[in-house]
Every structure is written in C-alpha cells, then in structure tokens.
Amino acid sequence: PDVGAYEYGKENYWIPGFQDTIASVPVPPDNSITVKTDADLMWLKAYKANKSDVYFGTTSNAVQKASKKTNAYKGSFKNNIFSPGKLVSGKTYYWRIDAIVNNTLRKGTVWSFKVD
C-alpha cells in the first residue's frame, strides 16, 4: 500500500473533515495558481451523496449555468476524483460538483484554478 491519503489506483481520495450538504474542500483549492498540467480534481463529497455530477470548463458563467445537456457536463461519478485530461499552461479553468443525495440534486459552488 501507498502512504498518505491517496493510494495509487484507488477510485476515491480520502479527504478528512466535516461533510457539508454540498461538495466541499476542492483539490486543487479554489483560486489556486500553481496547478500542474496533469492535475486531477478531487473533492469532499456531500454528506450521504450517492453520486457527484461534474461540470468543467473555461468560463465561470458557462459552468455556473451548466446542466447535463451542456458541454460542461462531464458525467456522474460515484467516486470523488475526476481527470480532466491535459490542461493548458496559463489557462484558468472552472469546475462545479453537484451532489446527488437520494435522487435530489444539490447544486455546488463554482471553483477555479489557474494552470502553472
């Protein structure tokens, strides 16, 4: 086994702390400016969340208003790790995690980061 919160090849990243009614504790942290081009996104799932819907894009407004019918929607996941693929240096990205708790959607906060 690996040492630390993330074990290579696992589907979830362990993040300690209080589980809110919406997803929280984004990794990378909101407004980060030193994110690497191969970064994965991780979050603390909402309390009792069955799934998390991931929204990801290059404009805050598009991610804020995104629905499952838009390009910003990247899927529904049982785990708390999303790999967006190769990121572009100098570019700012925005992301949102909506929690699904007992078939009820809880819209998340839009977070951002800049790639180093």
Side-chain angles (χ1 to χ4, degrees), residues 4-55:
Y6 179 73
E7 183 146 341
Y8 181 77
K10 291 292 184 181
E11 293 182 357
N12 286 291
Y13 183 83
W14 181 71
I15 300 174
F18 172 78
Q19 284 183 290
D20 206 341
T21 58
I22 61 172
S24 60
V25 193
V27 178
D30 190 27
N31 296 312
S32 292
I33 58 171
T34 58
V35 177
K36 302 301 177 197
T37 57
D38 62 350
D40 287 338
L41 308 181
M42 293 160 265
W43 59 93
L44 180 59
K45 291 172 74 170
Y47 182 67
K48 295 192 176 185
N50 308 92
K51 292 191 239 174
S52 300
D53 287 348
V54 176
Y55 297 88

Side-chain angles (χ1 to χ4, degrees), residues 29-116:
D30 190 27
N31 296 312
S32 292
I33 58 171
T34 58
V35 177
K36 302 301 177 197
T37 57
D38 62 350
D40 287 338
L41 308 181
M42 293 160 265
W43 59 93
L44 180 59
K45 291 172 74 170
Y47 182 67
K48 295 192 176 185
N50 308 92
K51 292 191 239 174
S52 300
D53 287 348
V54 176
Y55 297 88
F56 182 78
T58 56
T59 62
S60 176
N61 195 42
V63 172
Q64 174 65 33
K65 293 181 177 181
S67 70
K68 288 185 176 182
K69 297 178 182 178
T70 63
N71 288 336
Y73 177 67
K74 301 303 177 187
S76 189
F77 300 87
K78 288 187 177 187
N79 61 3
N80 69 336
I81 302 171
F82 172 70
S83 297
K86 184 79 169 162
L87 303 170
V88 178
S89 292
K91 194 163 206 141
T92 299
Y93 293 92
Y94 301 87
W95 59 301
R96 183 181 100 216
I97 303 298
D98 289 354
I100 310 300
V101 180
N102 297 324
N103 295 320
T104 301
L105 182 126
R106 295 183 183 166
K107 189 172 180 179
T109 304
V110 174
W111 299 310
S112 69
F113 63 88
K114 186 173 182 179
V115 179
D116 193 17

